[in-house]
């Protein structure tokens, strides 16, 4: 039976989530992976040709349906409202993008999708992934509301399903939160992890990353902003931990951003910060994997200019990307250097209407940015066409 939850915390929590081109930034990765060789960012030769053929528009009005009659049934029953569909997170694998479509509002027919990134097709159709059957709302064997995805070095897709729908309207807990692993080689579900024992009544699960130890064992880390924790799940050992973060790291429990870096020797580090925090923190993967939080957290330093920053992602090596709250420009920081303004590199100047929600490595060896007008979406200012969503390579403007 569905359980109705209290209305969500102030919209700041979601506003902060969101809270032209020539030189393209390239990645050494064809697919997202937890390990890489060094700093994988490079700058291509600057020219005056925008990468329009590699810019993909995503829309809730452009979904793939088995037939028109099915679409009509969903529309008439209120299970499909195009303007209520938005893509907030993605992972790239070769010429495909796996996308999260959280059920923030009613009328989202599926919550995990796949997009084929075919050159020249700017308006890309979103298809349910891996199939329609796993998208059924109210069926706890299916996906309820996927808020983040990660594809690991072995081609497994890990989907974070919070189990709560209609977050921006009247939240309803359909099912317990879980992580679902899908083998992208054959599109089969290979594992489902119930997170009930790891969460509390205050939990708000937001982001997921996958890490591999030096002996090639997988671990999943989940940001729990509400409970001020990092959840750790040892896939091979079937063990779990909840690392409670010091109160000093969270002035207010708004959005807990996380991003994983990796050195050539396999040493991984999880960087994290609350939006409202004035500082960036980190903890090595070797400590997370054994549940050791006390004494293991490093204060990396204050955020430049004292601004609130949105951590957008990592390149698979040692570089991190971020932007400032309410601002569109994207910056790169090599985590092997001191965290200060002089070590930040502007890699993209943003536009006017959209803000980046993620930067990720992948297709065509580029770094990619996922952008949307999420701030308009949560305020019901998108009109009948819904959110404006674009996936494109991270690029910088050329000087005239």
């Amino acid at each position: 039976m569905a359980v109705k939850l209290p209305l969500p915390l102030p919209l700041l929590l979601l506003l902060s989530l969101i809270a032209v081109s020539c030189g393209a930034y390239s990645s050494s990765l064809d697919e997202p992976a937890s390990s890489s060789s060094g700093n994988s960012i490079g700058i291509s030769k600057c020219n005056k040709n925008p990468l329009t053929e590699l810019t993909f528009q995503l829309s809730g009005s452009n979904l793939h349906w088995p037939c028109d009659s099915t679409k009509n049934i969903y529309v008439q029953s209120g299970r499909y409202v195009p303007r209520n569909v938005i893509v907030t997170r993605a992972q790239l694998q070769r010429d495909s993008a796996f996308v999260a479509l959280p059920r923030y509002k009613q009328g989202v027919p599926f919550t995990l999708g796949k997009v084929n990134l075919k050159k020249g097709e700017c308006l890309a159709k979103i298809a349910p992934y891996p199939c329609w059957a796993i998208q059924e709302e109210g069926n706890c064997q299916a996906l309820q509301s996927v808020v983040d995805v990660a594809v690991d070095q072995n081609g497994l897709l890990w989907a974070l399903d919070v189990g709560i729908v209609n977050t921006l309207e009247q939240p309803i807990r359909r099912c317990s939160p879980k992580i679902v692993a899908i083998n992208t080689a054959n599109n089969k579900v290979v594992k489902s992890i119930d997170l009930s024992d790891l969460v509390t009544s205050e939990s708000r699960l937001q982001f997921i990353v996958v890490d591999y130890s030096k002996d090639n064992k997988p671990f999943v880390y989940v940001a729990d902003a509400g409970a001020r924790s990092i959840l750790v799940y040892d896939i091979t050992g079937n063990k779990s931990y909840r690392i409670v973060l010091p109160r000093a790291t969270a002035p207010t429990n708004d959005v807990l951003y996380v991003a994983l870096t990796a050195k050539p020797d396999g040493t991984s580090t999880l960087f994290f910060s609350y939006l409202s925090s004035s500082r960036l923190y980190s903890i090595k993967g070797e400590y997370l994997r054994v549940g050791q939080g006390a004494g293991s957290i490093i204060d990396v330093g204050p955020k430049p200019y004292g601004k609130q920053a949105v951590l957008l992602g990592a390149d698979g090596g040692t570089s991190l990307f971020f932007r400032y709250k309410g601002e569109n420009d994207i910056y790169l920081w090599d985590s092997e250097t001191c965290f200060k303004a002089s070590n930040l590199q502007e890699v993209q100047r943003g536009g006017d209407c959209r803000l980046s929600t993620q930067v990720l490595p992948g297709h065509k060896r580029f770094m990619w940015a996922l952008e949307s007008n999420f701030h308009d979406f949560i305020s019901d200012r998108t009109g009948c066409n819904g959110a404006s969503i674009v996936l494109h390579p991270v690029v910088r403007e050329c000087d005239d």
Side-chain angles (χ1 to χ4, degrees):
M1 179 178 177
V3 179
K4 287 194 174 182
L5 301 179
L7 285 172
L9 292 175
L11 288 182
L12 166 67
L13 305 186
L14 285 169
L15 272 169
S16 54
L17 177 64
I18 54 110
V20 108
S21 31
C22 307
Y25 287 78
S26 60
S27 166
S28 64
L29 305 176
D30 282 326
E31 305 169 13
S34 61
S35 62
S36 169
S37 55
N39 185 347
S40 60
I41 295 298
I43 304 175
S44 68
K45 182 179 179 181
C46 185
N47 57 64
K48 293 291 182 180
N49 297 319
L51 297 173
T52 53
E53 73 277 7
L54 291 178
T55 297
F56 300 92
Q57 299 176 33
L58 307 177
S59 171
S61 299
N62 199 34
L63 306 185
H64 185 274
W65 295 90
C67 60
D68 287 340
S69 60
T70 300
K71 178 180 177 180
N72 292 335
I73 291 172
Y74 271 73
V75 170
Q76 292 169 8
S77 64
R79 288 182 291 168
Y80 176 40
V81 181
R83 67 177 182 275
N84 288 352
V85 178
I86 188 169
V87 173
T88 57
R89 302 286 288 180
Q91 286 283 275
L92 304 182
Q93 184 188 59
R94 294 182 288 276
D95 59 354
S96 296
F98 299 98
V99 297
L101 306 98
R103 284 183 167 128
Y104 289 137
K105 303 178 182 181
Q106 290 182 327
V108 181
F110 54 86
T111 184
L112 179 61
K114 182 179 179 180
V115 179
N116 289 323
L117 305 179
K118 294 182 180 179
K119 185 176 179 179
E121 294 187 7
C122 63
L123 188 57
K125 278 190 178 293
I126 309 173
Y129 184 80
C131 61
W132 276 99
I134 201 174
Q135 312 287 340
E136 183 183 357
E137 186 176 334
N139 177 359
C140 291
Q141 301 303 310
L143 298 169
Q144 301 306 296
S145 186
V146 173
V147 297
D148 198 12
V149 290
V151 175
D152 70 18
Q153 62 194 31
N154 293 320
L156 293 180
L157 181 149
W158 303 83
L160 176 60
D161 178 6
V162 296
I164 302 173
V165 302
N166 303 344
T167 317
L168 291 176
E169 298 172 330
Q170 176 61 60
I172 302 173
R173 178 174 293 284
R174 294 293 191 190
C175 306
S176 299
K178 60 180 178 288
I179 298 170
V180 176
I182 302 169
N183 186 344
T184 59
N186 59 16
N187 303 323
K188 301 294 185 182
V189 174
V190 295
K191 195 171 187 66
S192 182
I193 303 167
D194 190 329
L195 298 177
S196 298
D197 292 339
L198 283 175
V199 298
T200 71
S201 59
E202 298 178 336
S203 288
R204 281 197 324 280
L205 309 184
Q206 294 175 332
F207 301 104
I208 184 172
V209 294
V210 182
D211 189 18
Y212 275 78
S213 61
K214 292 183 179 180
D215 56 357
N216 206 35
K217 293 181 179 178
F219 292 78
V220 175
Y221 310 142
V222 174
D224 185 347
R228 207 179 70 251
S229 304
I230 302 292
L231 309 184
V232 180
Y233 198 93
D234 177 350
I235 305 299
T236 305
N238 197 29
K239 295 183 294 185
S240 59
Y241 312 98
R242 186 159 67 94
I243 308 293
V244 179
L245 304 176
R247 290 190 179 277
T249 64
T252 58
N253 294 6
D254 43 29
V255 182
L256 177 56
Y257 295 103
V258 295
L260 190 73
T261 63
K263 295 182 179 180
D265 64 0
T267 300
S268 62
T269 302
L270 186 74
F271 288 83
F272 64 91
S273 180
Y274 277 91
L275 177 72
S276 58
S277 174
S278 62
R279 309 186 74 83
L280 178 68
Y281 300 90
S282 71
I283 181 172
K284 289 186 176 180
E286 61 186 275
Y287 299 132
L288 285 171
R289 293 192 288 268
V290 296
Q292 180 181 329
S296 303
I297 295 173
I298 303 297
D299 184 343
V300 179
K303 296 175 182 176
Y305 309 113
K307 294 183 178 181
Q308 293 183 337
V310 176
L311 190 55
L312 296 171
D315 70 338
T318 61
S319 293
L320 297 176
F321 297 85
F322 68 92
R323 64 171 174 82
Y324 295 114
K325 179 185 175 183
E327 299 183 17
N328 303 341
D329 299 340
I330 298 176
Y331 296 88
L332 175 151
W333 170 61
D334 183 354
S335 62
E336 293 290 272
T337 66
C338 181
F339 186 53
K340 58 183 181 179
S342 60
N343 287 329
L344 305 182
Q345 180 182 2
E346 183 187 275
V347 295
Q348 179 176 294
R349 295 174 190 170
D352 294 328
C353 65
R354 291 184 295 266
L355 297 173
S356 296
T357 57
Q358 187 179 12
V359 171
L360 61 158
H363 187 48
K364 300 290 185 182
R365 301 177 69 85
F366 289 126
M367 295 300 302
W368 291 71
L370 179 65
E371 300 178 350
S372 70
N373 60 335
F374 191 79
H375 47 295
D376 292 328
F377 173 82
I378 65 175
S379 302
D380 284 325
R381 296 199 306 261
T382 58
C384 59
N385 292 327
S388 173
I389 312 157
V390 174
L391 180 66
H392 64 83
V394 174
V395 292
R396 64 180 175 84
E397 292 182 351
C398 297
D399 296 326
D400 292 331

